[in-house]
Amino acid sequence: MQIYEELVARGLIAQVTNEEEIRAMINAGKAKFYIGFDCTADSLTAGHFMALTLMKRLQMAGNQPIALIGGGTTMIGDPSGRTDMRKMLTREDIDHNAECFRRQMERFIEFGEGKAQMVNNADWLLNLNYIDFLREVGPHFSVNNMLRAECYKQRMEKGLSFFEFNYMIMQSYDFYYLFRNYGCNMQFGGDDQWSNMLGGTELIRRKLGKDAHAMTITLLTDSQGKKMGKTAGNAVWLDPNKTSPFDFYQYWRNVGDADVMKCIRMLTFLPLDKIDEMATWKDARINEAKEILAWELTAMVHGEEEANKAQAAARALFAGGSDDSSMPTTKLTADQLTDGSIDVLSLLTACGLISTRSEGRRLIQQGGLVINEEKITSIERSYTEADLRAGLKIRKGKKVFHKACIE
C-alpha cells in the first residue's frame, strides 16, 4: 500500500483538491507541504498529534515537510471554532512559545538540509506595508464569500471584529508566500480550516495563473480535533512539566471504548494489518488495546523508559498496588498551610485537581474523592503538616491519581 492510500485507510483524509494529482505527488515523494502552528501556548498539545504524526509519515515516504510557526498570525488569532476573541499575546510571549514548539517538534520530524524546514510567518507578515498588502491581495477576496465561510458564520451572532476578519487573508498569504519562495506545493490542516485554506489555493491561482499547481488537503473533523487533547476541560500537553508522562499515559489509557481503535489507526505507526486484527477484539481485550495506544503515544513523546514506568505504575494502581513512583506529585510549602493544616478543597486546588471550590464540593458529595484509602465525605476534612510529610495519595473519580507532600 502506498502512502496516500495508507492515509485514507487510516481515516486521516477529510477533503482534498486535485485528488489524482495529490495522490501521484505524495506517492512519488514529490510533495513539499506545510502545516501551520499558531503559538498560543508554550507547549504543543495532544491535539497536535494528528499533524505531527502526519508530517512524520509523509517525511518517511520521501516528502518534505515545512513546519510553519505562526509568529505573525498568532498576533491576530484564528477565529475558527471560537465563540470569543483569543487573548492577545506579546511579541516576546509568541517568540518564546515558538522556540518551545521547535524543541518539541524535533522529537517527531527530522530537520536539516534537504529534510524538514521550520519557518516563521512573522518574518514576512510583520514587515508588510498595509496599503501595499491591500493592493496586492485585497482585490482577490470577496467579502461576501468570506462571510459565508464556516469559520466566520458561527461568530457573526456574537460579533466578529475586523481584527480577526483579517486572519483568512493572512493565512492565504502564507501559502502564496511559501509557494512562491519555498516551492511549497501543498498545505494540510484540520477541516475547520477548509475555507481559510481554499483562500490560499485560490490566491495562488489568481496571482500566478491557473497552471500554478497548489493543492489543499484537510484532515480529521473539527469535533474530533477538539476532543483529542482535552480532558475535563484542560489541555493535555506534550511538555512533561505541564502534563506528566503518567498523566499523559492515563489520558490515552482512558479514551472511550468507541474511540480507541480510531486513535490507534490515526495516531500510531502500528501496521494496518495488526490494527485490523485488534479491531476484532472484544470485552477485556479493549483495555489491552487502550494500553497499547497509551504506551505507543507516551513512548513517542516521552521515550520508552517513561512509557514503561507510566504503564507499570498505572497497572499497579489499578490492581490496588502501592507503586506510586511515577504518580504526578505536588509539593506544597509551609506558607500554603493555615495554622499548620490545609483543608481538603484548598488541597485539591493546590494540586490542580479542581478549578473551583464548588467543583470540589460536588466531587465530595458524589463520593468521588478518596485520600489514603479514605472516602472523603465532608468538605471540613483537613490535613496537617505531619500528614503531608507522610504523603497523601489522592484518587479523583476512578482514573485520576495524584500525590501531595510538603517540601
Side-chain angles (χ1 to χ4, degrees):
M1 183 182 295
Q2 293 186 285
I3 183 61
Y4 184 83
E5 286 70 26
E6 181 179 345
L7 297 182
V8 173
R10 288 184 180 272
L12 289 168
I13 304 298
Q15 303 175 84
V16 302
T17 63
N18 321 68
E19 182 171 30
E20 290 306 313
E21 193 170 2
I22 286 171
R23 176 185 286 108
M25 186 172 291
I26 286 177
N27 285 341
K30 302 289 188 184
K32 190 170 185 179
F33 66 96
Y34 94 89
I35 299 179
F37 300 82
D38 274 353
C39 316
T40 53
D42 59 0
S43 172
L44 296 165
T45 73
H48 289 109
F49 249 122
M50 192 72 62
L52 294 171
T53 56
L54 173 86
M55 295 172 90
K56 184 178 179 71
R57 289 183 211 281
L58 289 173
Q59 186 176 48
M60 290 169 64
N63 299 284
Q64 187 175 353
I66 298 176
L68 175 63
I69 298 297
T73 41
T74 306
M75 300 285 283
I76 296 176
D78 183 6
S80 301
R82 301 281 300 188
T83 58
D84 55 5
M85 193 165 74
R86 294 182 187 272
K87 175 186 174 183
M88 287 197 219
L89 301 176
T90 67
R91 179 69 186 273
E92 291 73 22
D93 288 338
I94 293 170
D95 288 345
H96 170 73
N97 294 348
E99 182 55 33
C100 293
F101 279 23
R102 173 188 289 274
R103 291 195 297 269
Q104 291 175 345
M105 285 180 185
E106 287 173 346
R107 291 190 65 91
F108 292 84
I109 309 157
E110 189 175 359
F111 292 95
E113 186 69 29
K115 299 174 183 176
Q117 293 175 270
M118 182 174 286
V119 296
N120 190 327
N121 64 16
D123 293 342
W124 56 86
L125 292 181
L126 297 188
N127 295 322
L128 288 172
N129 177 286
Y130 188 60
I131 299 299
D132 290 344
F133 178 70
L134 287 180
R135 287 176 63 86
E136 181 179 7
V137 175
H140 304 294
F141 286 84
S142 161
V143 171
N144 290 346
N145 289 341
M146 292 173 72
L147 290 176
R148 283 193 288 268
E150 287 299 322
C151 59
Y152 292 142
K153 280 169 62 176
Q154 59 186 329
R155 288 293 305 281
M156 293 303 291
E157 290 185 12
K158 290 196 172 183
L160 175 70
S161 70
F162 179 73
F163 180 65
E164 295 172 284
F165 191 60
N166 281 270
Y167 190 92
M168 180 188 290
I169 299 175
M170 293 292 188
Q171 182 172 336
S172 299
Y173 187 80
D174 279 345
F175 192 21
Y176 170 66
Y177 187 92
L178 291 171
F179 182 91
R180 195 179 59 182
N181 293 280
Y182 287 84
C184 177
N185 51 34
M186 202 174 294
Q187 59 179 334
F188 284 78
D191 72 354
D192 61 319
Q193 293 283 310
W194 183 244
S195 299
N196 288 352
M197 295 167 71
L198 284 181
T201 306
E202 182 64 13
L203 179 61
I204 291 170
R205 189 188 69 80
R206 286 175 175 268
K207 292 286 292 180
L208 302 177
K210 64 181 181 180
D211 293 329
H213 295 279
M215 288 151 278
T216 297
I217 300 182
T218 62
L219 308 165
L220 104 143
T221 64
D222 186 31
S223 59
Q224 184 70 17
K226 286 182 170 57
K227 186 175 181 181
M228 271 183 206
K230 289 192 175 182
T231 178
N234 299 314
V236 177
W237 306 97
L238 304 194
D239 182 344
N241 296 313
K242 296 168 79 71
T243 297
S244 71
F246 178 86
D247 277 341
F248 189 84
Y249 178 93
Q250 284 295 94
Y251 170 72
W252 296 107
R253 172 63 180 79
N254 294 333
V255 299
D257 290 359
D259 291 327
V260 60
M261 293 313 305
K262 181 187 296 183
C263 291
I264 288 175
R265 197 175 296 276
M266 287 181 164
L267 302 178
T268 76
F269 287 80
L270 295 175
L272 283 169
D273 55 355
K274 180 175 181 178
I275 296 173
D276 289 340
E277 177 197 346
M278 292 169 64
T280 66
W281 292 359
K282 305 291 183 185
D283 304 323
R285 296 210 76 186
I286 295 296
N287 286 330
E288 183 182 343
K290 292 180 182 182
E291 283 196 335
I292 291 171
L293 170 68
W295 190 92
E296 289 288 335
L297 299 190
T298 305
M300 201 182 303
V301 174
H302 300 296
E304 292 187 8
E305 181 179 354
E306 290 295 338
N308 289 334
K309 287 165 59 178
Q311 185 172 77
R315 285 175 174 174
L317 288 167
F318 279 106
S322 59
D323 180 8
D324 59 6
S325 58
S326 296
M327 191 185 298
T329 301
T330 296
K331 293 183 178 180
L332 281 71
T333 58
D335 59 9
Q336 290 176 278
L337 307 183
T338 302
D339 296 328
S341 66
I342 186 170
D343 68 86
V344 66
L345 296 182
S346 297
L347 174 67
L348 294 176
T349 301
C351 292
L353 296 173
I354 58 172
S355 54
T356 64
R357 293 177 72 86
S358 59
E359 179 188 345
R361 291 190 189 94
R362 288 193 300 273
L363 177 68
I364 291 170
Q365 289 167 0
Q366 294 165 5
L369 181 65
V370 175
I371 299 180
N372 284 357
E373 305 306 320
E374 173 197 357
K375 179 178 281 191
I376 307 304
T377 58
S378 170
I379 63 171
E380 303 300 324
R381 184 73 166 88
S382 63
Y383 297 89
T384 65
E385 182 173 344
D387 294 329
L388 287 164
R389 292 202 182 281
L392 298 174
K393 187 182 294 185
I394 304 167
R395 177 162 59 84
K396 175 186 172 185
K398 294 182 179 180
K399 300 175 179 178
V400 177
F401 295 88
H402 202 89
K403 283 195 304 185
C405 57
I406 195 165
E407 292 181 325

